[in-house]
Amino acid sequence: MSRLIVISNRVSRPNKNGEQGGLAVALAAALRQRGGIWVGWSGDTTDKFTGQIAFNEDEGVRTATIDLEEQDVDEYYNGYANRTLWPLFHFRIDLAEYARDFEGGYNRVNQRFADTASPLIESDDVVWIHDYHLIPLGQLLRKKGLKNRIGFFLHIPWPPTRLLVSLPHHSKLVEALFAYDVVGFHTEEWLESFRHYVEKEMGGRVDGDFITAGGRTIQAIACPIGIDAPEFVAASNGTVAAEMYKRVCDSLQERAMIVGVDRLDYSKGLEERFNGYARFLKDNSQMQGKVVLVQIAPPSRSDVASYQEIRATLDSLAGRINGEYSDVDWTPIRYVNQGYPREKLAGIYRSARIGLVTPLRDGMNLVAKEYVAAQDPADPGVLILSRFAGAAHQLKDALLINPYSPEEMSDAISKALAMPLEERKRRWTAMMQSVQEQDVSWWRATFSQRLEEAAEVRQTEDVE
Ligand code: GDG
């Protein structure tokens, strides 16, 4: 079996306290099974880039990391990745910043990744590159002569062509994707937008999964990521989760709990969620004092101004809603800016009657799947899910809403609170089936298989 080389912006080193996300666990499992290396940025900075690689091995997973310069982090990570591509790909061209320095830094760091990774790659290794930080990396590796199978997976949405063309040098970015053998998106919707761009802007040809442009044919597929369902179910039934469940339930004093868990990011629709919940309290005065929204929102990307702004906005909005509706013995929103270990999170999900997952745009959204997996099968809660999350394509038995509409959110909360047990069970069973069938192992195996097959296609082409 060929080795696997995973390359992503950050490398998640396995640790023993269970803080790793499902994606990291799945990729680590693949690396352990096949052998290989996980390559990426250490998260640390250095005064002068040396290209020196730090090798580590944790629990059978080899990692290779590099430090970047302060300027790299500003221009590549905080700049082009998180101030240009992230907002644009989440349909927020109002927030996207187009600066030459950012683009220059992005290309420079991708080159640094290529220089670092290429000597580590052996001729029959399979290379799997992740996410918007590293779109040009495959092309840079090809320029170094790599003939390996190289796949790319985009974890965020692919924007409609009309939005993407607002990016200076957009064609260069998209052309770079044609260096890969397989390009993966979470949903048909993102894949459709990609195909549209290729046909309209590049004069390319689409033939099922095969897409040809500029003389090169790649496979572009929809392959939705999942969670580590068995692990999450086990965590939900474990003692840490049970303790957390009890702690939360005791604090609720019979009140119904609604939970949200999101990185503090404007794409997650937190402002709209708070407003929708306030609308529910206004429309249903009899429910005041009987329901609590627990919003867990650990800060992220706090060096970027738009993230500082959303934090300030939410601080004041939560304060305003609490000020307006609180009573001496009840606070409607518990707004928590800290993260919790996964086992505790599982207990929090289970104690909530409603999971409120309302991003304005999301590549997939794993929280929705985690909420489903954490439920008690005998008395499951209700998932309210944004129709603009990739997860909505699979979790069709959630209450799907438009997150921009406070009325829809208010109505869905009312409906969820009143939903009979039989209907809750029916909806949950269907969603749980999807979460279990298309879990993270399925995702990894499906993508890897395509990449292996792509190699055969290429070899056949070579022979001809
Ligand atoms: C990107 C795409 C796509 C959150 N708070 C805590 C915590 N989390 C964990 C959740 C979940 C993960 O973070 C968030 O994943 P999401 O999928 O919801 O969102 P993004 O971070 O934006 O991820 C997204 C994903 O990539 C994978 O392709 O689904 O669309 O945007 O696992 O549980 N984990 C812990 N404590 C917290 O307080 N331990």
Side-chain angles (χ1 to χ4, degrees):
M1 188 186 284
S2 48
R3 293 194 319 167
L4 177 67
I5 308 292
V6 172
I7 313 179
S8 59
N9 171 52
R10 289 292 301 276
V11 169
S12 176
R13 285 176 58 188
N15 55 25
K16 294 185 179 64
N17 52 16
E19 304 262 324
Q20 266 196 319
L23 171 62
V25 171
L27 292 174
L31 285 164
R32 220 172 276 131
Q33 187 190 3
R34 302 175 63 155
I37 315 176
W38 192 336
V39 186
W41 173 36
S42 62
D44 295 327
T45 53
T46 176
D47 289 343
K48 182 95 192 79
F49 181 76
T50 59
Q52 192 180 339
I53 304 171
F55 289 99
N56 280 288
E57 182 153 350
D58 301 271
E59 299 180 13
V61 178
R62 275 184 82 205
T63 58
T65 53
I66 46 167
D67 297 343
L68 294 174
E69 289 172 18
E70 221 40 91
Q71 191 185 351
D72 292 336
V73 179
D74 284 349
E75 295 173 350
Y76 149 79
Y77 181 69
N78 289 324
Y80 201 73
N82 286 330
R83 284 163 70 179
T84 308
L85 295 182
W86 177 274
L88 171 64
F89 279 47
H90 285 87
F91 298 43
R92 292 296 302 269
I93 45 174
D94 57 318
L95 294 178
E97 296 173 51
Y98 304 120
R100 282 204 185 121
D101 291 351
F102 290 177
E103 197 183 345
Y106 184 73
N107 291 329
R108 182 177 66 247
V109 172
N110 268 272
Q111 187 63 56
R112 290 184 166 169
F113 269 72
D115 295 343
T116 303
S118 55
L120 308 178
I121 301 171
E122 293 169 10
S123 57
D124 60 349
D125 288 348
V126 169
V127 182
W128 193 1
I129 296 172
H130 290 265
D131 230 359
Y132 59 104
H133 314 84
L134 301 177
I135 293 173
L137 181 55
Q139 193 178 45
L140 297 172
L141 290 173
R142 295 276 184 236
K143 282 189 182 144
K144 284 179 170 289
L146 256 81
K147 301 228 180 317
N148 302 55
R149 292 149 289 176
I150 313 183
F152 176 82
F153 194 86
L154 185 70
H155 289 263
I156 63 175
W158 184 269
T161 303
R162 270 176 225 166
L163 297 186
L164 185 51
V165 294
S166 69
L167 177 74
H169 312 131
H170 51 88
S171 55
K172 206 169 142 236
L173 194 75
V174 186
E175 276 159 27
L177 285 174
F178 281 79
Y180 295 104
D181 295 296
V182 180
V183 174
F185 303 90
H186 285 309
T187 68
E188 285 293 334
E189 187 181 350
W190 314 140
L191 174 58
E192 244 338 286
S193 298
F194 173 68
R195 286 180 179 147
H196 182 269
Y197 180 97
V198 173
E199 286 183 323
K200 302 292 173 211
E201 292 289 320
M202 299 172 80
R205 207 176 65 245
V206 174
D207 181 10
D209 290 345
F210 293 88
I211 304 199
T212 305
R216 183 148 162 80
T217 300
I218 62 169
Q219 287 190 65
I221 59 168
C223 182
I225 197 171
I227 61 166
D228 186 339
E231 182 251 7
F232 215 83
V233 170
S236 318
N237 292 317
T239 49
V240 176
E243 277 163 22
M244 197 62 179
Y245 174 84
K246 183 171 182 317
R247 189 177 145 201
V248 176
C249 290
D250 287 349
S251 80
L252 290 171
Q253 297 177 318
E254 310 289 310
R255 295 184 176 102
M257 171 174 155
I258 304 172
V259 74
V261 176
D262 309 77
R263 277 186 310 100
L264 220 170
D265 192 299
Y266 48 81
S267 68
K268 303 295 181 184
L270 293 169
E271 193 180 343
E272 290 75 6
R273 189 177 308 167
F274 283 5
N275 284 326
Y277 176 64
R279 177 66 186 239
F280 166 78
L281 295 175
K282 183 163 172 270
D283 290 351
N284 300 275
S285 54
Q286 78 287 359
M287 291 306 290
Q288 291 177 20
K290 298 203 173 95
V291 61
V292 174
L293 170 62
V294 175
Q295 176 62 55
I296 294 167
S300 81
R301 304 176 192 168
S302 33
D303 291 336
V304 177
S306 49
Y307 286 76
Q308 294 158 7
E309 279 159 29
I310 183 72
R311 183 161 188 186
T313 304
L314 291 169
D315 284 352
S316 85
L317 185 57
R320 204 161 68 233
I321 296 169
N322 280 339
E324 187 171 345
Y325 291 101
S326 285
D327 208 334
V328 285
D329 57 356
W330 172 61
T331 309
I333 302 180
R334 297 183 191 170
Y335 178 45
V336 185
N337 285 139
Q338 63 162 308
Y340 292 88
R342 292 178 73 69
E343 287 79 5
K344 289 193 176 176
L345 211 51
I348 298 173
Y349 285 135
R350 187 175 276 209
S351 48
R353 177 96 343 263
I354 299 175
L356 195 51
V357 184
T358 56
L360 304 180
R361 203 63 63 169
D362 219 331
M364 172 51 64
N365 194 296
L366 296 177
V367 168
K369 296 184 175 184
E370 290 167 2
Y371 176 77
V372 170
Q375 295 309 297
D376 174 0
D379 186 20
V382 180
L383 177 66
I384 298 178
L385 179 61
S386 163
R387 60 178 63 249
F388 304 132
H393 292 258
Q394 291 169 294
L395 304 179
K396 297 196 171 83
D397 285 278
L399 296 182
L400 295 178
I401 60 155
N402 173 354
Y404 292 95
S405 163
E407 285 95 347
E408 271 191 38
M409 207 173 303
S410 167
D411 291 351
I413 293 172
S414 297
K415 183 171 176 184
L417 289 173
M419 193 179 286
L421 178 62
E422 282 317 305
E423 183 177 353
R424 281 192 275 128
K425 278 188 180 170
R426 181 178 57 70
R427 287 176 182 270
W428 176 80
T429 304
M431 290 192 287
M432 189 61 177
Q433 192 180 347
S434 156
V435 168
Q436 285 180 315
E437 279 177 9
Q438 298 192 325
D439 72 352
V440 77
S441 307
W442 172 89
W443 171 75
R444 171 167 56 79
T446 306
F447 190 91
S448 307
Q449 194 185 334
R450 278 306 183 100
L451 204 46
E452 302 281 351
E453 288 167 7
E456 284 161 27
V457 173
R458 254 156 57 89
Q459 277 162 12
T460 317
E461 276 172 359
D462 288 348
V463 172
E464 283 168 1

